[in-house]
Coordinates of all heavy atoms in Angstrom, one line a residue:
M29 N -14.8 19.0 24.4 CA -14.1 17.9 23.8 C -12.6 18.2 23.9 O -12.1 19.3 23.7 CB -14.6 17.9 22.3 CG -13.9 16.8 21.5 SD -14.6 16.8 19.9 CE -13.9 15.3 19.3
A30 N -11.9 17.1 24.2 CA -10.5 17.2 24.4 C -9.8 17.4 23.1 O -10.2 16.8 22.1 CB -10.0 16.0 25.1
D31 N -8.8 18.2 23.1 CA -8.0 18.4 21.8 C -7.2 17.1 21.6 O -6.6 16.5 22.5 CB -7.1 19.6 21.9 CG -7.8 20.9 21.9 OD1 -8.9 20.9 21.3 OD2 -7.4 21.9 22.5
L32 N -7.1 16.7 20.3 CA -6.3 15.6 19.9 C -4.9 16.1 19.8 O -4.6 17.2 19.4 CB -6.8 15.0 18.6 CG -8.2 14.4 18.6 CD1 -8.6 14.0 17.2 CD2 -8.2 13.2 19.5
P33 N -3.9 15.2 20.1 CA -2.5 15.6 20.0 C -2.2 15.7 18.5 O -2.9 15.1 17.6 CB -1.7 14.4 20.5 CG -2.7 13.3 20.5 CD -4.1 13.8 20.6
P34 N -1.2 16.5 18.1 CA -0.9 16.7 16.7 C -0.4 15.4 16.1 O 0.1 14.5 16.8 CB 0.3 17.7 16.7 CG 0.8 17.7 18.1 CD -0.3 17.3 19.0
E35 N -0.7 15.2 14.8 CA -0.4 14.0 14.1 C 1.2 13.9 14.0 O 1.8 14.9 13.6 CB -1.0 14.0 12.7 CG -0.7 12.8 11.9 CD -1.4 11.6 12.4 OE1 -2.6 11.7 12.8 OE2 -0.8 10.5 12.4
V36 N 1.7 12.7 14.4 CA 3.1 12.5 14.3 C 3.5 12.2 12.8 O 2.8 11.4 12.2 CB 3.5 11.3 15.2 CG1 5.0 11.0 15.1 CG2 3.2 11.6 16.6
T37 N 4.5 12.8 12.3 CA 4.9 12.5 10.9 C 6.4 12.1 10.9 O 7.2 12.4 11.8 CB 4.8 13.8 10.1 OG1 5.6 14.8 10.6 CG2 3.4 14.3 10.0
I38 N 6.7 11.3 9.9 CA 8.1 10.8 9.7 C 8.3 11.2 8.2 O 7.6 10.7 7.3 CB 8.2 9.3 9.9 CG1 7.9 9.0 11.4 CG2 9.6 8.9 9.5 CD1 7.9 7.6 11.7
F39 N 9.3 12.0 7.9 CA 9.6 12.5 6.6 C 8.4 13.0 5.9 O 8.2 12.8 4.7 CB 10.2 11.3 5.7 CG 11.5 10.8 6.3 CD1 11.6 9.5 6.7 CD2 12.6 11.6 6.4 CE1 12.8 9.0 7.2 CE2 13.8 11.1 6.9 CZ 13.9 9.8 7.3
G40 N 7.6 13.7 6.6 CA 6.4 14.3 6.1 C 5.2 13.4 5.8 O 4.2 13.8 5.3
L41 N 5.3 12.1 6.2 CA 4.3 11.1 6.1 C 3.6 10.9 7.4 O 4.4 10.7 8.4 CB 4.8 9.9 5.4 CG 5.5 10.0 4.1 CD1 6.2 8.7 3.7 CD2 4.5 10.4 3.0
K42 N 2.3 10.8 7.5 CA 1.7 10.5 8.8 C 2.0 9.1 9.3 O 2.0 8.2 8.5 CB 0.2 10.6 8.6 CG -0.3 12.1 8.5 CD -1.9 12.1 8.4 CE -2.4 13.4 8.3 NZ -3.9 13.4 8.3
L43 N 2.3 9.1 10.5 CA 2.7 7.8 11.2 C 1.5 6.8 11.1 O 1.7 5.6 10.8 CB 3.1 8.0 12.6 CG 3.5 6.7 13.4 CD1 4.7 6.1 12.7 CD2 3.8 7.1 14.8
S44 N 0.3 7.3 11.2 CA -0.9 6.4 11.2 C -1.0 5.8 9.8 O -1.4 4.6 9.6 CB -2.2 7.2 11.5 OG -2.4 8.3 10.6
H45 N -0.7 6.5 8.7 CA -0.7 6.0 7.4 C 0.3 4.9 7.2 O 0.1 3.8 6.6 CB -0.5 7.0 6.3 CG -1.6 8.1 6.3 ND1 -1.5 9.2 5.6 CD2 -2.8 8.2 7.0 CE1 -2.6 10.0 5.8 NE2 -3.4 9.3 6.6
L46 N 1.5 5.2 7.7 CA 2.6 4.2 7.6 C 2.3 2.9 8.4 O 2.5 1.8 7.9 CB 3.9 4.8 8.2 CG 4.5 5.9 7.4 CD1 5.6 6.6 8.2 CD2 5.1 5.4 6.1
L47 N 1.7 3.0 9.6 CA 1.3 1.9 10.3 C 0.2 1.1 9.7 O 0.3 -0.2 9.6 CB 0.9 2.3 11.8 CG 2.0 2.8 12.7 CD1 1.5 3.3 14.0 CD2 3.1 1.7 12.9
A48 N -0.8 1.8 9.2 CA -1.9 1.1 8.5 C -1.4 0.3 7.3 O -1.8 -0.8 7.0 CB -3.0 2.0 8.1
G49 N -0.6 0.9 6.5 CA 0.0 0.3 5.3 C 0.9 -0.9 5.6 O 0.9 -1.9 5.0
G50 N 1.7 -0.7 6.7 CA 2.6 -1.8 7.1 C 1.8 -3.0 7.6 O 2.2 -4.1 7.3
L51 N 0.8 -2.7 8.4 CA -0.1 -3.8 8.8 C -0.8 -4.5 7.7 O -1.0 -5.7 7.7 CB -1.0 -3.3 9.9 CG -0.4 -2.9 11.2 CD1 -1.4 -2.3 12.2 CD2 0.3 -4.1 11.9
G52 N -1.2 -3.7 6.7 CA -1.9 -4.3 5.5 C -0.9 -5.2 4.8 O -1.2 -6.3 4.3
G53 N 0.3 -4.7 4.6 CA 1.3 -5.4 3.9 C 1.7 -6.7 4.6 O 1.9 -7.7 4.1
L54 N 1.9 -6.6 6.0 CA 2.2 -7.7 6.8 C 1.1 -8.8 6.7 O 1.4 -10.0 6.6 CB 2.5 -7.3 8.2 CG 2.9 -8.4 9.2 CD1 4.2 -9.0 8.8 CD2 3.0 -7.8 10.6
S55 N -0.1 -8.3 6.7 CA -1.3 -9.3 6.7 C -1.2 -10.0 5.4 O -1.5 -11.3 5.3 CB -2.6 -8.5 6.8 OG -2.7 -7.9 8.0
R56 N -1.0 -9.3 4.3 CA -0.9 -10.0 3.0 C 0.3 -11.0 2.9 O 0.2 -12.1 2.4 CB -0.8 -9.0 1.8 CG -1.0 -9.8 0.5 CD -0.7 -9.0 -0.7 NE -0.8 -9.8 -1.9 CZ 0.0 -10.8 -2.3 NH1 1.0 -11.1 -1.5 NH2 -0.2 -11.4 -3.4
S57 N 1.4 -10.6 3.5 CA 2.5 -11.5 3.5 C 2.3 -12.7 4.3 O 2.7 -13.8 3.9 CB 3.7 -10.7 4.1 OG 4.9 -11.5 4.1
L58 N 1.6 -12.6 5.4 CA 1.3 -13.8 6.2 C 0.2 -14.7 5.6 O 0.2 -15.9 5.8 CB 0.8 -13.3 7.6 CG 1.8 -12.7 8.5 CD1 1.2 -12.1 9.8 CD2 2.9 -13.6 8.8
A59 N -0.7 -14.1 4.8 CA -1.7 -14.8 4.1 C -1.1 -15.6 2.9 O -1.8 -16.5 2.4 CB -2.8 -13.9 3.6
H60 N 0.1 -15.2 2.4 CA 0.7 -15.9 1.3 C 2.1 -16.4 1.7 O 3.1 -15.8 1.4 CB 0.9 -14.9 0.1 CG -0.4 -14.6 -0.6 ND1 -1.3 -13.7 -0.1 CD2 -1.0 -15.1 -1.7 CE1 -2.4 -13.6 -0.9 NE2 -2.2 -14.5 -1.9
P61 N 2.1 -17.4 2.5 CA 3.4 -17.9 3.0 C 4.3 -18.5 1.9 O 3.8 -18.7 0.8 CB 3.0 -19.0 4.0 CG 1.7 -19.5 3.5 CD 1.0 -18.3 2.9
G62 N 5.5 -18.7 2.2 CA 6.5 -19.1 1.2 C 7.4 -18.0 0.8 O 7.1 -16.8 1.0
G63 N 8.5 -18.3 0.2 CA 9.4 -17.3 -0.3 C 10.4 -16.9 0.9 O 10.2 -17.4 2.0
S64 N 11.3 -16.1 0.5 CA 12.3 -15.7 1.5 C 11.8 -14.6 2.4 O 10.9 -13.9 2.2 CB 13.6 -15.3 0.8 OG 13.3 -14.0 0.1
I65 N 12.6 -14.5 3.5 CA 12.3 -13.4 4.5 C 12.5 -12.0 3.8 O 11.8 -11.1 4.1 CB 13.1 -13.6 5.8 CG1 12.6 -12.6 6.8 CG2 14.5 -13.4 5.5 CD1 11.3 -12.9 7.4
V66 N 13.5 -12.0 2.9 CA 13.7 -10.7 2.2 C 12.5 -10.3 1.4 O 12.2 -9.2 1.3 CB 15.0 -10.9 1.3 CG1 15.2 -9.6 0.5 CG2 16.2 -11.1 2.2
R67 N 11.9 -11.3 0.7 CA 10.7 -11.0 -0.1 C 9.6 -10.5 0.8 O 8.9 -9.5 0.4 CB 10.2 -12.3 -0.8 CG 8.9 -12.1 -1.6 CD 8.4 -13.5 -2.1 NE 7.0 -13.4 -2.3 CZ 6.1 -13.8 -1.4 NH1 6.4 -14.2 -0.2 NH2 4.8 -13.7 -1.7
H68 N 9.4 -11.1 1.9 CA 8.3 -10.6 2.8 C 8.6 -9.2 3.3 O 7.7 -8.3 3.4 CB 8.1 -11.5 4.0 CG 7.6 -12.9 3.6 ND1 6.3 -13.0 3.1 CD2 8.1 -14.1 3.6 CE1 6.1 -14.3 2.9 NE2 7.2 -15.0 3.1
I69 N 9.9 -8.9 3.7 CA 10.2 -7.6 4.2 C 10.1 -6.5 3.1 O 9.5 -5.5 3.3 CB 11.6 -7.6 4.8 CG1 11.7 -8.4 6.1 CG2 12.1 -6.2 5.0 CD1 13.0 -8.7 6.6
T70 N 10.6 -6.8 1.9 CA 10.5 -5.8 0.8 C 9.1 -5.6 0.4 O 8.8 -4.4 0.1 CB 11.4 -6.2 -0.4 OG1 11.0 -7.5 -0.8 CG2 12.9 -6.2 0.0
T71 N 8.3 -6.6 0.3 CA 6.9 -6.4 -0.2 C 6.1 -5.6 0.9 O 5.2 -4.9 0.6 CB 6.3 -7.7 -0.6 OG1 6.4 -8.6 0.4 CG2 6.9 -8.2 -1.9
T72 N 6.4 -5.9 2.2 CA 5.8 -5.1 3.2 C 6.2 -3.7 3.2 O 5.3 -2.8 3.4 CB 6.1 -5.7 4.6 OG1 5.7 -7.1 4.6 CG2 5.5 -5.0 5.7
I73 N 7.4 -3.4 2.9 CA 7.9 -2.0 2.8 C 7.2 -1.3 1.6 O 6.8 -0.2 1.7 CB 9.4 -1.9 2.6 CG1 10.1 -2.3 3.9 CG2 9.9 -0.6 2.1 CD1 11.6 -2.5 3.8
V74 N 7.1 -2.0 0.5 CA 6.4 -1.4 -0.7 C 4.9 -1.2 -0.3 O 4.4 -0.1 -0.7 CB 6.5 -2.4 -1.9 CG1 5.5 -1.9 -3.0 CG2 7.9 -2.4 -2.4
G75 N 4.3 -2.1 0.4 CA 2.9 -1.8 0.8 C 2.8 -0.6 1.7 O 1.8 0.2 1.6
T76 N 3.7 -0.4 2.6 CA 3.8 0.7 3.5 C 3.9 2.0 2.7 O 3.2 3.0 3.0 CB 4.9 0.6 4.5 OG1 4.7 -0.7 5.2 CG2 5.0 1.7 5.5
V77 N 4.8 2.0 1.7 CA 5.1 3.2 1.0 C 3.8 3.6 0.1 O 3.4 4.8 0.0 CB 6.3 3.1 0.1 CG1 6.5 4.2 -0.9 CG2 7.6 3.0 0.9
V78 N 3.2 2.6 -0.5 CA 2.0 2.9 -1.3 C 0.9 3.4 -0.4 O 0.3 4.4 -0.8 CB 1.6 1.6 -2.0 CG1 0.2 1.7 -2.6 CG2 2.5 1.2 -3.1
A79 N 0.8 2.9 0.7 CA -0.3 3.4 1.6 C 0.0 4.8 2.1 O -0.8 5.6 2.2 CB -0.5 2.4 2.8
A80 N 1.3 5.0 2.5 CA 1.7 6.3 3.0 C 1.4 7.4 2.0 O 0.9 8.5 2.4 CB 3.2 6.3 3.4
Y81 N 1.7 7.2 0.8 CA 1.5 8.3 -0.2 C 0.1 8.3 -0.8 O -0.4 9.3 -1.2 CB 2.5 8.1 -1.4 CG 3.9 8.6 -1.0 CD1 4.9 7.7 -0.6 CD2 4.2 10.0 -0.9 CE1 6.1 8.1 -0.3 CE2 5.4 10.4 -0.5 CZ 6.4 9.5 -0.2 OH 7.7 9.9 0.2
G82 N -0.6 7.1 -0.8 CA -1.9 7.1 -1.5 C -3.1 7.3 -0.5 O -4.2 7.6 -1.0
T83 N -2.9 7.1 0.8 CA -4.0 7.2 1.7 C -4.7 8.6 1.7 O -5.9 8.6 1.7 CB -3.5 6.9 3.1 OG1 -3.1 5.5 3.1 CG2 -4.6 7.1 4.2
P84 N -4.0 9.7 1.7 CA -4.7 11.0 1.7 C -5.7 11.1 0.5 O -6.8 11.5 0.7 CB -3.6 12.1 1.7 CG -2.4 11.4 2.3 CD -2.6 9.9 1.8
V85 N -5.2 10.8 -0.6 CA -6.1 10.8 -1.8 C -7.1 9.8 -1.8 O -8.3 10.1 -2.1 CB -5.2 10.7 -3.1 CG1 -6.0 10.6 -4.3 CG2 -4.2 11.8 -3.2
G86 N -6.8 8.6 -1.5 CA -7.8 7.5 -1.5 C -8.9 7.7 -0.5 O -10.0 7.4 -0.7
A87 N -8.6 8.2 0.7 CA -9.6 8.5 1.7 C -10.5 9.6 1.3 O -11.7 9.5 1.5 CB -8.9 8.8 3.1
A88 N -10.0 10.6 0.7 CA -10.8 11.7 0.2 C -11.7 11.3 -0.9 O -12.9 11.6 -0.9 CB -9.9 12.9 -0.3
V89 N -11.2 10.5 -1.8 CA -12.1 9.9 -2.9 C -13.1 9.0 -2.3 O -14.3 9.1 -2.7 CB -11.2 9.2 -3.9 CG1 -12.0 8.3 -4.9 CG2 -10.3 10.1 -4.7
A90 N -12.8 8.2 -1.4 CA -13.8 7.2 -0.8 C -14.9 8.0 -0.1 O -16.1 7.7 -0.2 CB -13.1 6.3 0.2
V91 N -14.5 9.0 0.7 CA -15.6 9.8 1.4 C -16.5 10.5 0.4 O -17.7 10.6 0.5 CB -14.9 10.8 2.4 CG1 -15.9 11.8 2.9 CG2 -14.3 10.0 3.5
R92 N -15.8 11.1 -0.6 CA -16.6 11.9 -1.6 C -17.4 11.1 -2.6 O -18.6 11.4 -2.8 CB -15.7 12.9 -2.3 CG -16.4 13.8 -3.2 CD -15.5 14.9 -3.7 NE -16.3 15.7 -4.6 CZ -16.0 16.9 -5.0 NH1 -14.8 17.4 -4.6 NH2 -16.7 17.6 -5.9
Y93 N -16.8 10.1 -3.2 CA -17.5 9.5 -4.3 C -18.1 8.1 -4.0 O -18.9 7.6 -4.8 CB -16.4 9.3 -5.4 CG -16.0 10.6 -6.0 CD1 -14.7 11.0 -5.8 CD2 -16.8 11.4 -6.8 CE1 -14.3 12.2 -6.3 CE2 -16.4 12.6 -7.3 CZ -15.1 13.0 -7.0 OH -14.7 14.2 -7.6
L94 N -17.9 7.6 -2.9 CA -18.5 6.3 -2.5 C -19.7 6.5 -1.7 O -20.3 5.5 -1.2 CB -17.5 5.4 -1.8 CG -16.3 4.9 -2.7 CD1 -15.4 4.0 -1.8 CD2 -16.7 4.2 -3.9
G95 N -20.2 7.7 -1.5 CA -21.4 7.9 -0.8 C -21.3 7.7 0.7 O -22.3 7.2 1.3
M96 N -20.2 8.0 1.3 CA -20.0 7.8 2.7 C -19.6 9.1 3.4 O -18.6 9.2 4.1 CB -18.9 6.8 3.0 CG -19.2 5.4 2.4 SD -17.9 4.3 2.9 CE -17.4 3.8 1.2
P97 N -20.4 10.2 3.2 CA -20.0 11.5 3.7 C -20.1 11.6 5.3 O -19.5 12.4 5.9 CB -20.9 12.5 3.1 CG -22.1 11.7 2.7 CD -21.6 10.3 2.4
D98 N -20.9 10.7 5.9 CA -21.1 10.7 7.3 C -19.9 10.0 8.1 O -19.8 10.1 9.3 CB -22.4 10.1 7.7 CG -22.5 8.6 7.2 OD1 -21.9 8.3 6.1 OD2 -23.3 7.9 7.8
I99 N -19.0 9.4 7.4 CA -17.8 8.8 8.0 C -16.7 9.8 8.0 O -16.4 10.4 7.0 CB -17.4 7.5 7.2 CG1 -18.5 6.5 7.3 CG2 -16.1 7.0 7.8 CD1 -18.2 5.2 6.4
P100 N -16.2 10.1 9.2 CA -15.1 11.1 9.3 C -13.9 10.7 8.4 O -13.5 9.5 8.3 CB -14.7 11.1 10.7 CG -15.8 10.4 11.5 CD -16.5 9.5 10.5
L101 N -13.2 11.7 7.8 CA -12.1 11.4 7.0 C -11.0 10.6 7.8 O -10.4 9.7 7.2 CB -11.5 12.7 6.5 CG -10.3 12.6 5.5 CD1 -10.7 11.8 4.3 CD2 -9.8 14.0 5.1
G102 N -10.8 11.0 9.0 CA -9.8 10.3 9.9 C -10.0 8.8 10.0 O -9.1 8.0 10.0
S103 N -11.3 8.4 10.1 CA -11.6 7.0 10.2 C -11.4 6.3 8.9 O -11.0 5.1 8.9 CB -13.1 6.8 10.7 OG -13.3 7.4 12.0
M104 N -11.8 7.0 7.9 CA -11.6 6.4 6.5 C -10.2 6.2 6.2 O -9.8 5.2 5.5 CB -12.3 7.3 5.5 CG -12.3 6.7 4.1 SD -13.2 5.1 4.0 CE -14.9 5.7 4.2
E105 N -9.3 7.0 6.7 CA -7.9 6.9 6.3 C -7.3 5.6 6.8 O -6.4 5.0 6.1 CB -7.1 8.1 6.9 CG -7.3 9.4 6.2 CD -6.5 10.5 6.8 OE1 -6.1 10.4 8.0 OE2 -6.4 11.5 6.1
G106 N -7.7 5.1 8.0 CA -7.1 3.8 8.5 C -7.5 2.7 7.6 O -6.7 1.8 7.2
V107 N -8.8 2.6 7.2 CA -9.2 1.5 6.3 C -8.6 1.6 4.9 O -8.1 0.6 4.4 CB -10.8 1.6 6.1 CG1 -11.3 0.6 5.1 CG2 -11.4 1.4 7.4
V108 N -8.5 2.8 4.4 CA -7.9 3.0 3.0 C -6.4 2.7 3.1 O -5.9 2.0 2.2 CB -8.1 4.4 2.5 CG1 -7.3 4.7 1.3 CG2 -9.6 4.6 2.2
G109 N -5.7 3.1 4.2 CA -4.3 2.8 4.3 C -4.0 1.3 4.4 O -3.1 0.7 3.7
F110 N -4.9 0.6 5.1 CA -4.7 -0.9 5.2 C -4.9 -1.5 3.9 O -4.2 -2.4 3.4 CB -5.7 -1.4 6.2 CG -5.7 -2.9 6.5 CD1 -4.7 -3.4 7.3 CD2 -6.5 -3.8 5.9 CE1 -4.6 -4.8 7.5 CE2 -6.5 -5.1 6.1 CZ -5.5 -5.6 6.9
L111 N -6.0 -1.1 3.2 CA -6.3 -1.7 1.8 C -5.2 -1.4 0.8 O -4.8 -2.2 0.0 CB -7.7 -1.3 1.3 CG -8.8 -1.8 2.1 CD1 -10.1 -1.1 1.7 CD2 -8.9 -3.3 2.1
L112 N -4.7 -0.2 0.9 CA -3.6 0.2 0.0 C -2.3 -0.6 0.3 O -1.5 -0.9 -0.6 CB -3.3 1.7 0.0 CG -4.3 2.5 -0.7 CD1 -4.0 4.0 -0.4 CD2 -4.4 2.3 -2.2
G113 N -2.1 -0.9 1.6 CA -1.0 -1.8 1.9 C -1.1 -3.2 1.3 O -0.1 -3.7 0.8
L114 N -2.3 -3.7 1.3 CA -2.6 -5.0 0.7 C -2.3 -4.9 -0.8 O -1.7 -5.8 -1.4 CB -4.0 -5.5 1.0 CG -4.4 -5.9 2.4 CD1 -5.9 -6.1 2.5 CD2 -3.6 -7.1 2.8
A115 N -2.9 -3.9 -1.4 CA -2.8 -3.7 -2.9 C -1.4 -3.4 -3.3 O -0.9 -3.9 -4.4 CB -3.7 -2.6 -3.3
G116 N -0.6 -2.7 -2.5 CA 0.7 -2.3 -2.8 C 1.6 -3.5 -3.0 O 2.5 -3.6 -3.8
M117 N 1.4 -4.5 -2.1 CA 2.2 -5.7 -2.2 C 1.9 -6.5 -3.4 O 2.7 -7.1 -4.1 CB 2.0 -6.6 -0.9 CG 2.8 -6.0 0.3 SD 2.7 -7.1 1.7 CE 3.4 -8.6 1.1
S118 N 0.6 -6.6 -3.7 CA 0.2 -7.3 -4.9 C 0.8 -6.6 -6.2 O 1.2 -7.3 -7.1 CB -1.3 -7.4 -5.0 OG -1.9 -8.1 -3.9
L119 N 0.8 -5.3 -6.2 CA 1.3 -4.6 -7.3 C 2.8 -4.8 -7.4 O 3.4 -5.0 -8.5 CB 1.1 -3.1 -7.1 CG 1.5 -2.1 -8.2 CD1 0.6 -2.4 -9.4 CD2 1.3 -0.7 -7.8
C120 N 3.5 -4.9 -6.3 CA 4.9 -5.2 -6.2 C 5.3 -6.5 -6.9 O 6.3 -6.7 -7.5 CB 5.4 -5.1 -4.8 SG 7.1 -5.5 -4.6
E121 N 4.4 -7.5 -6.7 CA 4.6 -8.8 -7.3 C 4.2 -8.9 -8.7 O 4.7 -9.7 -9.5 CB 3.9 -9.9 -6.4 CG 4.5 -10.0 -5.0 CD 3.7 -10.9 -4.2 OE1 2.6 -11.4 -4.5 OE2 4.2 -11.3 -3.1
A122 N 3.2 -8.1 -9.1 CA 2.6 -8.2 -10.5 C 3.4 -7.4 -11.5 O 3.5 -7.8 -12.7 CB 1.2 -7.7 -10.5
V123 N 4.0 -6.3 -11.1 CA 4.7 -5.4 -12.1 C 5.9 -6.2 -12.8 O 6.0 -6.1 -14.0 CB 5.2 -4.1 -11.4 CG1 6.2 -3.4 -12.3 CG2 4.0 -3.2 -11.1
P124 N 6.7 -6.9 -12.1 CA 7.8 -7.7 -12.8 C 7.2 -8.7 -13.8 O 7.8 -8.9 -14.9 CB 8.6 -8.4 -11.7 CG 8.3 -7.5 -10.5 CD 6.9 -7.0 -10.6
R125 N 6.1 -9.3 -13.4 CA 5.5 -10.3 -14.4 C 5.0 -9.6 -15.6 O 5.1 -10.0 -16.7 CB 4.3 -11.0 -13.7 CG 4.9 -12.2 -12.8 CD 3.7 -13.0 -12.3 NE 3.4 -12.4 -11.0 CZ 2.2 -12.2 -10.5 NH1 1.2 -12.6 -11.1 NH2 2.1 -11.7 -9.3
W126 N 4.4 -8.4 -15.4 CA 3.9 -7.6 -16.6 C 5.0 -7.2 -17.5 O 4.9 -7.2 -18.7 CB 3.1 -6.4 -16.1 CG 1.8 -6.7 -15.4 CD1 1.0 -7.8 -15.5 CD2 1.1 -5.8 -14.6 NE1 -0.1 -7.7 -14.8 CE2 -0.1 -6.5 -14.1 CE3 1.4 -4.5 -14.1 CZ2 -1.0 -5.9 -13.3 CZ3 0.4 -4.0 -13.2 CH2 -0.7 -4.6 -12.8
V127 N 6.1 -6.8 -16.9 CA 7.3 -6.3 -17.7 C 7.8 -7.5 -18.5 O 8.2 -7.3 -19.7 CB 8.4 -5.7 -16.8 CG1 9.6 -5.4 -17.5 CG2 7.8 -4.4 -16.2
R128 N 8.0 -8.6 -17.8 CA 8.5 -9.8 -18.6 C 7.6 -10.2 -19.7 O 8.0 -10.5 -20.8 CB 8.7 -11.0 -17.6 CG 9.9 -10.9 -16.8 CD 10.2 -12.2 -16.0 NE 10.6 -11.8 -14.7 CZ 9.9 -12.0 -13.6 NH1 8.7 -12.5 -13.6 NH2 10.3 -11.6 -12.5
K129 N 6.3 -10.1 -19.5 CA 5.3 -10.5 -20.5 C 5.4 -9.4 -21.7 O 5.3 -9.8 -22.8 CB 3.9 -10.5 -19.9 CG 2.9 -11.0 -20.9 CD 1.5 -11.1 -20.2 CE 0.5 -11.6 -21.1 NZ -0.8 -11.8 -20.5
W130 N 5.5 -8.2 -21.3 CA 5.6 -7.1 -22.3 C 6.8 -7.2 -23.2 O 6.8 -7.0 -24.4 CB 5.5 -5.7 -21.6 CG 5.7 -4.6 -22.5 CD1 4.8 -4.1 -23.4 CD2 6.8 -3.7 -22.6 NE1 5.3 -3.0 -24.1 CE2 6.5 -2.7 -23.6 CE3 8.0 -3.6 -21.9 CZ2 7.4 -1.7 -23.9 CZ3 8.9 -2.6 -22.2 CH2 8.6 -1.7 -23.2
R131 N 7.9 -7.5 -22.5 CA 9.2 -7.6 -23.3 C 9.3 -8.9 -24.1 O 10.0 -8.9 -25.1 CB 10.4 -7.6 -22.3 CG 10.6 -6.3 -21.6 CD 11.8 -6.3 -20.8 NE 13.0 -6.7 -21.5 CZ 14.1 -7.2 -20.9 NH1 14.2 -7.4 -19.6 NH2 15.1 -7.5 -21.7
G132 N 8.5 -9.9 -23.8 CA 8.5 -11.1 -24.6 C 9.6 -12.0 -24.1 O 10.3 -11.8 -23.1
P133 N 9.9 -13.1 -24.9 CA 10.9 -14.0 -24.5 C 12.3 -13.3 -24.5 O 12.6 -12.5 -25.4 CB 10.8 -15.1 -25.5 CG 9.9 -14.7 -26.6 CD 9.2 -13.5 -26.1
A134 N 13.1 -13.7 -23.6 CA 14.4 -13.1 -23.5 C 15.3 -13.6 -24.6 O 15.2 -14.8 -25.1 CB 15.1 -13.5 -22.1
E135 N 16.1 -12.7 -25.1 CA 17.1 -13.1 -26.2 C 18.2 -14.0 -25.6 O 18.6 -13.8 -24.5 CB 17.6 -11.9 -26.8 CG 16.6 -11.1 -27.5 CD 17.2 -9.9 -28.3 OE1 18.4 -10.0 -28.6 OE2 16.5 -8.9 -28.5
T136 N 18.6 -15.0 -26.4 CA 19.6 -15.9 -25.9 C 21.0 -15.4 -26.2 O 22.0 -16.0 -25.8 CB 19.4 -17.3 -26.5 OG1 19.4 -17.1 -27.9 CG2 18.0 -17.9 -26.1
G137 N 21.1 -14.3 -27.0 CA 22.5 -13.8 -27.3 C 23.1 -14.5 -28.4 O 24.3 -14.4 -28.7
K138 N 22.4 -15.2 -29.3 CA 23.0 -15.9 -30.4 C 23.1 -15.0 -31.6 O 22.4 -14.1 -31.8 CB 22.1 -17.1 -30.8 CG 22.2 -18.2 -29.7 CD 21.3 -19.4 -30.2 CE 21.4 -20.4 -29.1 NZ 20.6 -21.6 -29.4

């Protein structure tokens, strides 16, 4: 069997995780049109970051606890990274709404 090339990393994060998260974030952005280009770029970046940091843990959990031990960890990482990219963008849009709801109505300064 041929040896695989070493995994390329950027700032200690696997390039494959960054790409999977970025593609997941981009897919979600394209599925929800509207808004500014800045919104699409920033939410895609957030999806990429969530996937880059969450993929190693998410893939290990998926292989161990979802009853899929026959799927190699490397294969699972791509799927988990893509899904975390989708979820990261949703989280990016939901957190400000949760904070506004938690804080209640804004004070008018009277």
